[in-house]
Amino acid sequence: MRKFFRPFLVLLAIFAGGEAFAIREVVISEIAWMGTSASTSDEWIELRNTTSQAIDLTGWTLRSADGTPAITLAGSVQTNDFFLLERTDDTSTSVAADQIYTGALGNTGEELILEDASSTDIYRTPVCLWPAVANVTNKAFERPHPPSFGTAPRT
């Protein structure tokens, strides 16, 4: 039994970038950096509350490591629900946006950092390149059932 778990733990550590896992209440569940076929400005980011309690996002920030976008959040995300951020206007998706933001996502990749109102890291996306095919097909980078864990905040 131990032989089975050792390789699994090694792969898990590599996938996590060598960082410890921690339970996450809010995760980034979808990123559409390429926009839509109607407009490249129709970007959106979706957050997911993985808990059984509503979470007030007022004063939280979602920012890229390079500084753009830098979004101060306002509002709440309900129990096991989503919070949709749309760039520029509310026409990116057929779902009403919870908040509009400005500042384009990079088309080749971003590290996105979600911080609570006390500037504590809540969630970070991995530092990686977006799949290039999505820039042509307009398919969002999605975690259909995102786990409630992510990499631990960097120290």
Side-chain angles (χ1 to χ4, degrees):
M1 193 68 133
R2 292 175 73 182
K3 288 182 182 182
F4 170 77
F5 285 110
R6 282 186 188 152
F8 175 74
L9 290 175
V10 169
L11 288 173
L12 191 59
I14 291 170
F15 178 77
E19 298 177 359
F21 280 99
I23 299 299
R24 298 292 171 217
E25 295 176 343
V26 179
V27 296
I28 298 169
S29 57
E30 187 170 2
I31 306 167
W33 68 90
M34 80 312 285
T36 65
S37 57
S39 172
T40 57
S41 294
D42 286 343
E43 299 174 349
W44 73 88
I45 303 167
E46 181 184 80
L47 307 178
R48 179 175 181 231
N49 176 353
T50 64
T51 74
S52 58
Q53 298 176 355
I55 296 176
D56 184 4
L57 300 175
T58 303
W60 287 38
T61 59
L62 177 62
R63 63 180 174 82
S64 174
D66 68 11
T68 301
I71 308 160
T72 300
L73 302 176
S76 296
V77 59
Q78 298 306 309
T79 302
N80 292 308
D81 204 0
F82 301 92
F83 189 88
L84 181 62
L85 298 129
E86 293 189 23
R87 178 180 164 213
T88 311
D89 59 32
D90 195 14
T91 62
S92 300
T93 71
S94 60
V95 177
D98 294 292
Q99 185 170 336
I100 306 298
Y101 71 92
T102 58
L105 293 166
N107 283 338
T108 56
E110 295 275 10
E111 178 185 19
L112 296 177
I113 304 154
L114 180 64
E115 297 174 330
D116 67 14
S118 62
S119 300
T120 301
D121 277 16
I122 299 300
Y123 191 85
R124 287 178 180 251
T125 58
V127 179
C128 63
L129 298 176
W130 308 126
V133 70
N135 289 327
V136 177
T137 62
N138 296 105
K139 299 285 185 189
F141 194 51
E142 182 179 4
R143 300 174 77 189
H145 302 288
S148 59
F149 62 85
T151 57
R154 294 192 175 137
T155 56

